[in-house]
Structure formats: C-alpha cells, structure tokens
Amino acid sequence: MARGGQGLARVAVVVRAGAAPLWWLGVLAAGVGACVPGLTGRRIGVLGGAALFVVAVAAVAYTRRRRYAALARSAARAGKHDVLQDRAVTARNWRRGHRWWLLLAFLAAVGSAFAAPAAGGMLLAGCGVGLWLKAAWVGRLERAADVLLWVRVDWLTKSAGRPAGKAVKAYRSTGIAAGDAAPGGKPRKTAALV
C-alpha cells in the first residue's frame, strides 16, 4: 500500500459471505437426508432439524454482538490512502478460505441423515440464515451512524474471516456512499439508465 494505507474489507460483507453457501449446502443436505429413513425416522429427524434450525439461527445471529457494537462505536475514519476492497473480492476470499470447512460440514450433514434424516442439513441452513440476520443487524448499526464499517484485511484470519476476532483492534469508517456494497453488505442497486 502506498504511504501507509491499509487494505480494508467491509465488515458486513465478511459476515454475509458465508450465508449463501451455508444456506444452499444445508438445503441440499436436508433434501438428500429426507430421502434416507434413518434410525429415528423422517418425522423425528425433521422435527429435530427444525429445532436445530431455530437454535442455530439464534446462536449465530446474536453471538458477539457486544463486540461488534463496541468496535463500531470506536471506529476511526479511514485514511485517504486506505484501499477499499470490492465486495466480490471479500466474499471470494472468505469462500476460498472456508471451502474445506464447507465441504466437511456438508458431508457431516449428509452423513448425519443416517441417524436423524434432514437434521444436519437444517442445522447448516440455520447457520446461513443466522449470518444473514447478523449482516442485516450490522447494516442497521451502519445506517444509525450513517457510516460504513470496515476492518483491516491483515487483521482477518488466514481464511479471511472473523471480523470481530481477537486480532481486530478497531474498525474504520467511511461515508455511506463508499465502496460497492450497501449497508448490511448487499450489492448496491445501480440506477437504471434512461
């Protein structure tokens, strides 16, 4: 980076990056698992999976909120030499860094269907929904302060995750129009050309 600038990734995008893969892998694993009778039977497997889904959504969505809020409150303005990472690059880095974990989680979810059909897939899908909800909550923090929150790329883990981990000392902030992602990490809607 020139003149001491840092590479910055959007906090909400890092949080949101795993939501779609976990959701779709979970849905696929639950669908495959529903075809297997399993030890508990389909009815118990699906009911247990529904309970796991709800628990996973709540656990993932609410974990470490205090840490996120504290880092957001103390965010310093990004410098003019800081480099803002594109949304697609941030998401791609997270998915590349977690690809083996995603594969293992999917295989474990499918394998668990022999004990409780669909339960493992529903748990995985619940984790994905929890990440969507957490990213939306980060988006509400951003809108309330009228800023976008960024984390230094070198403070993320090797797998490009944990935007509120121990290595993260502070967030940076920019105006609401910076970068290519809206508050909450969604792609920005571009105005249609007339």
Side-chain angles (χ1 to χ4, degrees), residues 30-45:
V32 170
C35 298
V36 179
L39 296 175
T40 62
R42 285 188 188 95
R43 183 170 176 266
I44 292 173

Side-chain angles (χ1 to χ4, degrees), residues 31-102:
V32 170
C35 298
V36 179
L39 296 175
T40 62
R42 285 188 188 95
R43 183 170 176 266
I44 292 173
V46 170
L47 289 174
L52 287 172
F53 179 88
V54 171
V55 169
V57 168
V60 172
Y62 288 96
T63 301
R64 300 184 68 93
R65 278 198 176 188
R66 273 190 208 163
R67 172 92 171 129
Y68 281 93
L71 288 166
R73 280 192 302 273
S74 63
R77 289 298 281 183
K80 68 177 183 177
H81 296 295
D82 288 334
V83 178
L84 307 180
Q85 193 173 78
D86 288 344
R87 178 185 182 279
V89 173
T90 303
R92 185 177 64 238
N93 289 345
W94 189 98
R95 290 171 186 167
R96 277 187 186 159
H98 290 83
R99 64 187 178 274
W100 296 113
W101 289 109
L102 291 168

Side-chain angles (χ1 to χ4, degrees), residues 152-171:
R152 280 177 48 174
V153 173
D154 59 329
W155 284 349
L156 297 173
T157 60
K158 288 181 183 177
S159 55
R162 294 190 182 239
K166 287 183 181 176
V168 178
K169 297 169 183 67
Y171 287 159

